Amino acid sequence: QVQLVESGGGWVQAGGSLRLSCTVRGRPNGAYCMGWFRQAPGKEREAVATISWNGDQTFVQYSLRNRFDISKENAKNTMYLQLSRANLEDTAVYYCAAVEATGLATVSRQFDYWGQGTQVTVSS
């Protein structure tokens, strides 16, 4: 049974930073790709960043590459998303996702396992 648990969400002031964590419990067999997605009110869910099992491949949405960083520590079964210079448009529910794969998945439909999401609210 695979569970993804996000943490680190909450309120952040515009211009500030926040780090989200996602821990995998009940690891899938073999390699797995992980990613972060977000859904803002009235908008479709969008990919934020994804990372391959060994961390040698990453994807960050082009418009966010200057402010978002993705990383992971396999020994801790944990993936991180570092958000810097937060702005109001970053307000969304952020979801952690995973899929058994050695390569890099980049769209939500490719992912099999999902966390419950964590709310990030950016205030002015």
Side-chain angles (χ1 to χ4, degrees), residues 7-116:
S7 62
W11 292 78
V12 60
Q13 191 170 357
S17 299
L18 195 68
R19 189 179 76 162
L20 305 181
S21 300
C22 174
T23 298
V24 181
R25 300 174 182 176
R27 295 176 61 186
N29 292 326
Y32 54 96
C33 172
M34 299 184 68
W36 289 98
F37 299 80
R38 71 181 185 182
Q39 187 165 22
K43 295 185 177 181
E44 297 290 326
R45 181 165 55 187
E46 64 176 353
V48 176
T50 64
I51 187 167
S52 62
W53 177 76
N54 62 8
D56 66 342
Q57 294 178 281
T58 60
F59 164 81
V60 182
Q61 187 184 109
Y62 190 83
S63 63
L64 304 178
R65 290 177 181 178
N66 62 331
R67 300 191 299 110
F68 285 74
D69 291 311
I70 188 169
S71 61
K72 68 183 305 189
E73 294 183 80
N74 283 354
K76 297 182 178 180
N77 299 319
T78 301
M79 173 183 65
Y80 306 97
L81 181 70
Q82 180 69 43
L83 189 167
S84 60
R85 302 193 304 281
N87 59 56
L88 297 180
E89 295 182 354
D90 295 324
T91 295
V93 177
Y94 285 72
Y95 297 92
C96 172
V99 60
E100 294 183 37
T102 57
L104 188 67
T106 59
V107 298
S108 61
R109 63 178 178 270
Q110 294 179 280
F111 289 80
D112 295 320
Y113 308 106
W114 292 85
Q116 293 181 308

